[in-house]
Amino acid sequence: MSVVGGVDVDRVLLKHGAGGRAMRRLISETFLAAFATDPPERAGLLGVSAMDDGGAVRLGDRWLVMTTDSHVIQPAFFPGGDIGRLAIAGTVNDLAMMGATEILGLTCGVVIEEGFPRADLERIAASMRAACAEASATVIAGDTKVMGVREVDGIVINTSGVGLTRRLIRDCGLRAGDRIIVTGTIGDHGMAVMASRHGLQLDSDLRSDVAPLAALIRGAIEASPDGITAMKDPTRGGVAGALHEMASKSGVGIEIVDAALPVRPAVRGVSELVGVDPLFAANEGKAVIGVRRESADAVLRALRAHPLGRDAAIVGACVADHSGTVILDTGFGRRLVAEPDGDLLPRIC
Amino acid sequence: MPLEFRDPARAAALRDALARATARVGRERVSLMHVCGSHEQAIAKFGLRAAFPPALDVIMGPGCPVCVTDQPEIDEAVALAAQGVRIATYGDMVRVPGTAGSLADAQARGARIDVVYSVAQAVEIARATTEPFVFFATGFETTAVATAAVLIGGVPPNFSVLSAHKYIPPVMEIVAEMPGTRVEGFLAAGHAATITGSATFEPFVERHALPVVVAGFEPLDILAALVKLVELVGRGEAAVVNMFPRCVTREGNVNAQRQLWTVFEPIGGRWRGIAHVPNGNLRLRDAWAAVDARRRFTIDAASLWRQAPSSLVRQCICGHIMAGIASPADCALFGAACVPDSPVGACMVSSEGTCRIWHEYGGVPDLRGAACPS
């Protein structure tokens, strides 16, 4: 085994799927080399090299946004959701983060382990149908495979989606002075899954936030069509991971205020118990949004008018200094927020 | 009214008081040292260094028990494990590299290693078996008290202790006398003082004419203790002040002290990377020879020393960091070749190590002077 910078470079490790530095490196060294494209301004195409939530192709005066996501989670049914709802929300949210809140259609590929209970499969399908209805989306194509016992762990669901937008929103568009909004309480999904996996019997409001955000984001964009400068869903790596990626791609620093971060008491409690900062815990129904200073109030109002955005808050701002870093004002002092690297908890989405 | 430990308004008042007290000292630099991983965690987590006045340096000294465990002590545990003795120890100790690998490496080669949360848990495991079983005991006097209590309570015949316990007050004397440190006052760890009492620092204060302030672990505890310490430095007053009176008394937990000194006696020993510290180690007294692994087994650690440490290990500056004369930022390995997943030095292994803490909180803890957004 050869080790470079703390990573076994000969083999793929769980940390390569954890949404941090190791994962970005794996992707850029393998897939980016294979599928590099011209800059979108020249090619009319946003490809994998952007490493954004999805890719996009220009169609006349609009962009056709495409994305795909494979979902593996243990347990498949968790407080607040299940793998079916997660699979729909994951893809709908990736499209929405690029501005494509009008979903043209989804596909669904399922790989099932022999012996998987039919009743569970039906529950998952019903949950997918309900999530689709919330996002005004439909699965229009699919594929089903069954594998032998232990050849796959329970069930893996891949969803792809296409959507349309007039204005493509990227994760690299932040500018100094922009405000940072999170659309609600942070860390709910990660902490709920962690608690359920560890068998912690805790507060009843510790539930995953998994939800499709197309309608919430549509409202925010309509409130200020040009005011949103960048958007990202803080899944693996949590809000800290999303902020780091946005800051480094945009070439700005981001300063956030601890006291402004919405965190449920139950999440705060589990966080202290297991020693995981809510900033690093995964979310499946939240967005981190960069907004021009003058549009911040209008966008915040629109978000709060939607049930999924009731707890939305302005949590920080972008600065020209210390580009690519995230600074936390703790109320007592200031410190850097580390870039997530490695798996807090593998197989969570 | 409940105690409010995290009140930013009171923190702001204490920050101002700290700035005033530091200015009154009237020197370009005031260097203070704490000797506790939990203090460093709180300072890093709450970003307190950014709130300190520019002239104030708060350095972490040798306050991480995992980090100061010397390589030959790790080697003893690894050698015992290789001899077929089952070893139990605290989690971080498993990953600390010895001369030729860690206990985790020994485990990969077939040795039996149990990670425990307490010495009592180790005794439980030992009771369930007849194989020879050694608890590799690390930690400062706070942890040593637990080891002593368990031995006094009685252990199964297959159980013995490999003591790498260390005693903090003597190392403060060493660090205070190191030419590179220029430490003008010490922040003492509140949890250790709960057992030892604040009086334990009185001889030190007398000998070295340096003030010691006992501090708790909430951000307000630390700020208030620093204000007091800087005031003492400013007045040139060498005294012990207890700023953690809700837990610490002058005498401490006398019962626990009696147990500690019934079982252990201080003996000179090396602290990893720092120095030989007179009275810095805790050895089992002769009356406890029957449960002393060093006297029960022939430990052939020297057999491991044929393997030279890697070139990376030779670049590690853990010792300088723990002595307070360098910071992780001075280390070429920090965050690059040395990360929590593959640590080179013990300071990156333990959650109480300076390097690990700095890495966890962004790597550069000092944001004094960075601009705030409007």
Side-chain angles (χ1 to χ4, degrees), chain B:
Chain B
M1 202 181 114
L3 284 171
E4 178 53 75
F5 295 122
R6 298 192 180 169
D7 176 2
R10 292 191 59 195
L14 287 168
R15 278 202 305 266
D16 292 345
L18 189 58
R20 282 195 304 274
T22 307
R24 270 201 300 273
V25 176
R27 282 201 297 280
E28 205 171 294
R29 186 142 298 276
V30 178
S31 295
L32 307 177
M33 179 177 276
H34 71 78
V35 276
C36 176
S38 304
H39 275 152
E40 187 62 25
Q41 276 167 349
I43 289 170
K45 177 175 178 186
F46 292 99
L48 295 186
R49 279 207 178 81
F52 296 161
L56 180 65
D57 238 355
V58 178
I59 305 158
M60 172 164 174
C64 161
V66 172
C67 309
V68 298
T69 304
D70 203 16
Q71 271 190 332
E73 291 171 316
I74 311 259
D75 292 346
E76 285 180 300
V78 171
L80 268 177
Q83 286 167 231
V85 177
R86 189 165 168 184
I87 305 278
T89 192
Y90 300 116
D92 283 343
M93 289 313 302
V94 173
R95 299 180 56 223
V96 179
T99 307
S102 60
L103 283 170
D105 297 324
Q107 190 173 27
R109 291 191 296 264
R112 304 215 43 196
I113 313 290
D114 297 279
V115 169
V116 293
Y117 291 98
S118 67
V119 56
Q121 196 188 347
V123 172
E124 265 174 54
I125 300 173
R127 262 189 230 290
T129 172
T130 52
E131 41 187 335
F133 192 99
V134 167
F135 178 61
F136 182 30
T138 60
F140 298 127
E141 49 271 31
T142 27
T143 324
V145 165
T147 308
V150 159
L151 290 179
I152 290 169
V155 294
N158 59 333
F159 184 90
S160 57
V161 169
L162 178 66
S163 173
H165 282 307
K166 311 242 179 249
Y167 187 45
I168 279 274
V171 82
M172 288 170 60
E173 314 226 1
I174 295 287
V175 173
E177 286 166 9
M178 276 190 173
T181 54
R182 302 178 312 275
V183 174
E184 297 177 73
F186 279 90
L187 214 57
H191 46 25
T194 304
I195 288 171
T196 59
S198 61
T200 197
F201 301 108
E202 286 169 5
F204 168 83
V205 165
E206 207 162 300
R207 270 200 293 276
H208 297 273
L210 291 176
V212 173
V213 171
V214 177
F217 300 96
E218 289 292 336
L220 294 182
D221 285 326
I222 293 173
L223 286 170
L226 285 172
V227 172
K228 177 58 75 183
L229 189 53
V230 174
E231 283 173 358
L232 293 172
V233 168
R235 291 202 296 268
E237 189 180 333
V240 180
V241 176
N242 177 11
M243 290 292 282
F244 195 37
R246 64 179 188 274
C247 294
V248 174
T249 61
R250 183 173 176 279
E251 291 71 31
N253 183 338
V254 178
N255 218 349
Q257 290 167 31
R258 193 181 306 121
Q259 293 193 330
L260 175 66
W261 299 123
T262 300
V263 172
F264 291 104
E265 61 188 346
I267 184 175
R270 279 198 65 81
W271 288 43
R272 182 182 186 136
I274 299 177
H276 177 92
V277 180
N279 296 322
N281 283 12
L282 295 174
R283 165 188 189 269
L284 287 159
R285 287 180 187 275
D286 290 343
W288 300 87
V291 290
D292 186 344
R294 288 197 180 90
R295 289 184 259 196
R296 251 167 92 158
F297 300 96
T298 308
I299 306 174
D300 185 15
S303 68
L304 303 170
W305 299 343
R306 284 190 294 273
Q307 301 170 49
S310 75
S311 61
L312 277 184
V313 171
R314 287 199 298 272
Q315 293 173 53
C316 171
I317 62 165
C318 265
H320 286 67
I321 291 170
M322 286 186 288
I325 53 182
S327 87
D330 300 320
C331 181
L333 307 177
F334 176 70
C338 182
V339 292
D341 276 0
S342 65
V344 176
C347 293
M348 188 58 95
V349 174
S350 168
S351 55
E352 293 187 51
T354 315
C355 298
R356 176 68 178 275
I357 295 169
W358 282 35
H359 193 269
E360 188 159 322
Y361 293 108
V364 185
D366 196 343
L367 296 173
R368 284 180 283 205
C372 288
S374 53

Side-chain angles (χ1 to χ4, degrees), chain A residues 12 16-17 21-32:
Chain A
V12 176
H16 285 119
R21 229 179 344 223
M23 175 162 152
R24 280 211 302 285
R25 206 162 139 193
L26 176 78
I27 293 172
S28 65
E29 286 170 4
T30 50
F31 297 108
L32 295 201

Side-chain angles (χ1 to χ4, degrees), chain A residues 239-324:
Chain A
V239 169
L243 290 173
H244 262 283
E245 206 169 330
M246 294 167 92
S248 69
K249 286 181 176 175
S250 307
V252 297
I254 297 178
E255 174 136 347
I256 53 172
V257 177
D258 192 46
L261 290 168
V263 183
R264 282 184 206 285
V267 168
R268 179 86 64 198
V270 176
S271 147
E272 299 250 334
L273 205 64
V274 299
V276 171
D277 190 328
L279 270 175
F280 290 82
N283 307 270
E284 290 294 342
K286 298 291 159 25
V288 175
I289 308 178
V291 189
R292 286 193 186 141
R293 187 202 305 224
E294 60 275 16
S295 307
D297 289 336
V299 170
L300 189 65
R301 261 198 310 278
L303 288 169
R304 285 183 173 166
H306 192 280
L308 290 175
R310 228 176 20 226
D311 300 317
I314 298 176
V315 300
C318 302
V319 293
D321 292 346
H322 42 81
S323 156

Side-chain angles (χ1 to χ4, degrees), chain A residues 131-214:
Chain A
C132 279
E134 288 171 48
S136 307
T138 316
V139 172
I140 56 174
D143 175 58
T144 306
K145 296 279 188 294
V146 177
M147 298 188 70
V149 173
R150 279 197 285 275
E151 289 175 2
V152 58
D153 187 3
I155 186 167
V156 177
I157 303 181
N158 172 276
T159 51
S160 295
V162 287
L164 281 177
T165 182
R166 288 189 187 282
R167 182 169 161 262
L168 197 60
I169 298 174
R170 305 277 307 278
D171 57 8
C172 60
L174 294 177
R175 289 182 306 196
D178 285 356
R179 295 305 188 246
I180 300 292
I181 293 177
V182 296
T183 61
T185 53
I186 65 170
D188 297 10
H189 178 74
M191 292 301 178
V193 173
M194 200 172 307
S196 103
R197 224 183 263 182
H198 289 295
L200 294 175
Q201 299 290 324
L202 294 158
D203 213 306
S204 58
D205 77 334
L206 191 68
R207 296 163 63 80
S208 167
D209 59 349
V210 56
L213 297 177

Side-chain angles (χ1 to χ4, degrees), chain A residues 38-227:
Chain A
D38 281 338
E41 305 75 43
R42 193 155 75 227
L45 181 138
L46 179 74
V48 286
S49 15
M51 291 181 90
D52 210 320
D53 295 306
V57 185
R58 188 140 54 204
L59 285 182
D61 63 345
R62 302 221 231 169
W63 288 89
L64 180 80
V65 180
M66 308 166 62
T67 191
T68 187
D69 208 337
S70 297
H71 298 86
V72 287
I73 184 162
Q74 277 299 334
F77 299 89
F78 48 85
D82 57 65
I83 192 170
R85 182 172 178 80
L86 188 66
I88 298 301
T91 289
V92 165
N93 294 349
D94 279 347
L95 295 174
M97 291 307 108
M98 306 198 68
T101 56
E102 187 189 331
I103 315 294
L104 297 180
L106 303 174
T107 71
C108 169
V110 190
V111 184
I112 312 166
E113 182 182 11
E114 181 181 19
F116 193 81
R118 280 286 293 269
D120 285 357
L121 197 59
E122 277 153 28
R123 261 177 84 190
I124 290 168
S127 169
M128 292 177 80
R129 193 170 56 236
C132 279
E134 288 171 48
S136 307
T138 316
V139 172
I140 56 174
D143 175 58
T144 306
K145 296 279 188 294
V146 177
M147 298 188 70
V149 173
R150 279 197 285 275
E151 289 175 2
V152 58
D153 187 3
I155 186 167
V156 177
I157 303 181
N158 172 276
T159 51
S160 295
V162 287
L164 281 177
T165 182
R166 288 189 187 282
R167 182 169 161 262
L168 197 60
I169 298 174
R170 305 277 307 278
D171 57 8
C172 60
L174 294 177
R175 289 182 306 196
D178 285 356
R179 295 305 188 246
I180 300 292
I181 293 177
V182 296
T183 61
T185 53
I186 65 170
D188 297 10
H189 178 74
M191 292 301 178
V193 173
M194 200 172 307
S196 103
R197 224 183 263 182
H198 289 295
L200 294 175
Q201 299 290 324
L202 294 158
D203 213 306
S204 58
D205 77 334
L206 191 68
R207 296 163 63 80
S208 167
D209 59 349
V210 56
L213 297 177
L216 175 75
I217 299 302
R218 189 180 313 129
I221 294 172
E222 282 167 2
S224 177
D226 296 317

